């Protein structure tokens, strides 16, 4: 113990000696840094005054200062920005689940507006806008060089008004125009249905309604199926889900995990980090889960997919997700505006950051592009397969009871429905097939692997 104390005291003495020797240079360096900051602020003030006095036309002081603030924030990363009082109010409304617009989540890449994902059931979705599309012009006005907020402002307008956006899409040789009628966007956060014996939970966004919608949706489907024993499992469809509220992503992950870390966040100061853990309770009661993702799955979607994947609670299928692994904090500022600032990165339970990398599916399943009319016509001309039952004079099968025949007809109808689903949504059909196999292995087999 004495040696330890002495060593500590000795260290303190040496530390004091070193401090006395280098305090002068450190203070001088700090003073120079402070002086440089004040010089830069003087430069800003000088430029501001020159613009006010000498620009070719009169400028609005407030707009000029807001533009300067926004330029400072947007230079940091694509997700930091200044929100005017109107934009801050609109953001608060959007997280409650109803707002006006086109129904697309966008980011900025190389000066252009890039679609992260269209939202289900919105004008943009109906018009055929796809994740990964680039919007290069709005009503003929180029968005190149505009801030993201300015570009979004161009797309805003009265409900019922038409807007023409110019789109560049991978695989298309030329840009093309898309006409969209603005509408009030009413988002249903979670839509639930049953396909075969699988409960499908389509989560389109993470807002204040997501967890309540999820809980009521899965309960209704399980009750309609006659109990949890009558379903194969759950499909969480997170495709084209651009994210939303961090706490809702945590709630959704917790809904299917009994214990363990869900996500952690780490800021500039390590002491500012947070860890969020699951509490007991699983809405699926141990049944297998498949998570569907694609390039339009971002942020909160990736938190859910990463948590369930790391805990081996779900199999993730589809294509690589968007790769937004940062957390934005909305900080109120004077004048009822707000500052959206990137304050942390988030990490999945295994400690991986998905920033710019995304969540990699356990099984990669591409969604086939829709076939054109010529291909469909060619398929229709393909002769149908001949069977014994189609031959003239073939013998009847007299070994089956009426109940057995009815069962065969029901099985055939389910098979035809499944085949149609593969035509309509190949990725979802694949997910349901995976659930059938996992359910045959037993409800806890996935967790024990």
């Amino acid at each position: 113990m004495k040696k330890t104390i002495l060593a500590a005291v000795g260290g303190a003495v040496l530390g004091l000696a070193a401090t006395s020797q280098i305090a002068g240079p450190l203070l001088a360096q700090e003073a120079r840094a402070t002086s440089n900051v004040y010089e830069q602020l003087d430069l800003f003030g000088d430029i501001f005054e020159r613009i006010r006095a000498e620009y070719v036309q009169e400028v609005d002081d407030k707009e000029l200062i807001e533009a300067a603030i926004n330029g400072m924030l947007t230079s940091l990363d694509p997700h930091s920005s200044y929100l005017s009082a109107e934009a801050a109010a609109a953001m608060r409304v959007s997280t409650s689940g109803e707002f006006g617009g086109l129904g697309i989540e966008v980011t900025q890449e190389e000066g252009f507006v890039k679609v992260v994902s269209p939202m289900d059931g919105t004008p943009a979705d109906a018009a055929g806008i796809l994740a990964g599309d680039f919007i290069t012009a709005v009503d003929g006005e180029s968005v190149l060089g505009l801030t993201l907020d300015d570009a979004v402002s161009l797309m805003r307008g009265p409900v019922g008004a038409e807007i023409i956006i110019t789109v560049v899409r991978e695989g298309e040789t030329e840009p093309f125009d898309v006409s969209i009628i603005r509408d009030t966007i009413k988002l249903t956060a979670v839509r639930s249905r049953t396909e075969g014996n699988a409960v499908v939970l389509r989560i389109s966004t993470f807002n204040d309604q997501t967890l309540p919608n999820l809980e009521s949706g899965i309960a209704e489907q399980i009750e309609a199926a006659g109990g949890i024993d009558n379903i194969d499992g759950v499909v969480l469809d997170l495709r084209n889900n651009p994210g939303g509220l961090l706490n809702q992503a945590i709630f959704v992950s917790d809904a299917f995990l009994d214990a363990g870390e869900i996500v952690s966040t780490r800021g500039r100061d390590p002491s500012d980090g947070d860890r969020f853990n699951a509490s007991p309770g699983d809405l699926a009661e141990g049944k297998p889960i498949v998570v569907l993702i694609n390039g339009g799955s971002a942020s909160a979607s990736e938190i859910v997919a990463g948590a369930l994947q790391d805990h081996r609670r779900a199999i993730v299928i589809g294509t690589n997700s968007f790769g937004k692994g940062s957390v934005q904090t909305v900080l109120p500022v004077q004048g009822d505006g707000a500052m959206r600032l990137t304050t942390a990165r988030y990490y999945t339970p295994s400690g991986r950051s998905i920033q710019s990398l995304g969540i990699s599916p356990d099984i990669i399943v591409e969604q086939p592009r829709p076939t054109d009319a010529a291909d469909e016509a060619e398929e229709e001309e393909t002769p149908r397969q001949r069977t014994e039952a189609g031959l003239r004079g073939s013998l009847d099968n007299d070994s089956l009871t009426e109940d057995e025949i009815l069962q065969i007809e029901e099985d055939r109808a389910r098979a035809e429905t499944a085949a149609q689903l593969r035509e309509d949504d190949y990725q979802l059909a694949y997910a349901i097939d995976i659930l059938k196999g996992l359910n045959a292995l037993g409800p806890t087999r996935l967790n024990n692997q």
Side-chain angles (χ1 to χ4, degrees), residues 37-53 61 64-65 68:
V37 170
Y38 285 125
E39 287 176 5
Q40 294 299 312
L41 288 174
D42 288 340
L43 175 62
F44 174 81
D46 182 45
I47 291 174
F48 176 71
E49 288 300 332
R50 285 179 178 246
I51 291 172
R52 292 180 69 200
D61 291 351
L64 195 59
I65 292 172

Side-chain angles (χ1 to χ4, degrees), residues 364-376:
I364 296 175
V365 181
E366 298 278 354
Q367 183 82 311
R369 290 276 182 177
T371 56
D372 58 28
D375 293 336
E376 290 178 357

Side-chain angles (χ1 to χ4, degrees), residues 56-124:
V56 67
Q57 62 188 32
E58 190 174 344
V59 294
D60 184 286
D61 291 351
K62 180 182 177 184
E63 290 181 0
L64 195 59
I65 292 172
E66 286 185 355
I69 294 170
N70 198 48
M72 179 168 53
L73 287 165
T74 55
S75 70
L76 301 173
D77 64 78
H79 307 293
S80 295
S81 64
Y82 172 75
L83 301 173
S84 65
E86 296 78 11
M91 185 204 65
R92 287 190 289 270
V93 171
S94 69
T95 57
S96 69
E98 181 176 331
F99 55 96
L102 305 180
I104 50 175
E105 179 78 11
V106 294
T107 186
Q108 198 162 39
E109 188 172 301
E110 297 179 358
F112 291 109
V113 176
K114 183 178 182 180
V115 177
V116 175
S117 67
M119 301 172 185
D120 289 349
T122 62

Side-chain angles (χ1 to χ4, degrees), residues 241-375:
N241 182 323
L245 300 177
L246 173 63
N247 66 339
Q248 289 292 320
I250 293 167
F251 294 156
V252 170
S253 302
D254 193 3
F256 300 103
L257 293 172
D258 277 321
E261 183 178 302
I262 294 171
V263 67
S264 62
T265 63
R266 303 176 203 169
R268 180 174 176 177
D269 185 344
S271 64
D272 291 337
D274 284 313
R275 293 182 183 274
F276 301 91
N277 297 310
S279 55
D282 177 2
L283 292 181
E285 298 183 31
K287 286 286 185 175
I289 298 174
V290 170
V291 177
L292 273 173
I293 60 171
N294 64 5
S297 306
S299 194
S301 300
E302 295 171 297
I303 289 175
V304 174
L308 297 183
Q309 185 182 53
D310 280 2
H311 283 288
R312 310 193 73 164
R313 181 63 187 92
I315 289 180
V316 178
I317 73 171
T319 55
N320 212 67
S321 64
F322 185 76
K324 180 181 178 293
S326 60
V327 179
Q328 282 69 48
T329 302
V330 178
L331 305 168
V333 296
Q334 62 183 14
D336 295 328
M339 176 173 61
R340 184 168 49 208
L341 187 66
T342 299
T343 54
R345 298 173 188 261
Y346 70 75
Y347 296 80
T348 69
S350 64
R352 57 180 168 146
S353 168
I354 55 87
Q355 176 62 30
S356 299
L357 296 176
I359 296 291
S360 298
D362 298 306
I363 304 173
I364 296 175
V365 181
E366 298 278 354
Q367 183 82 311
R369 290 276 182 177
T371 56
D372 58 28
D375 293 336

Side-chain angles (χ1 to χ4, degrees), residues 195-218:
E195 290 281 355
N197 293 327
V199 173
V200 180
L201 299 170
R202 166 64 185 150
I203 305 177
S204 57
T205 188
F206 289 88
N207 62 27
D208 291 334
Q209 303 304 314
T210 301
L211 181 64
N213 286 175
L214 180 79
E215 291 174 331
S216 60
I218 191 171

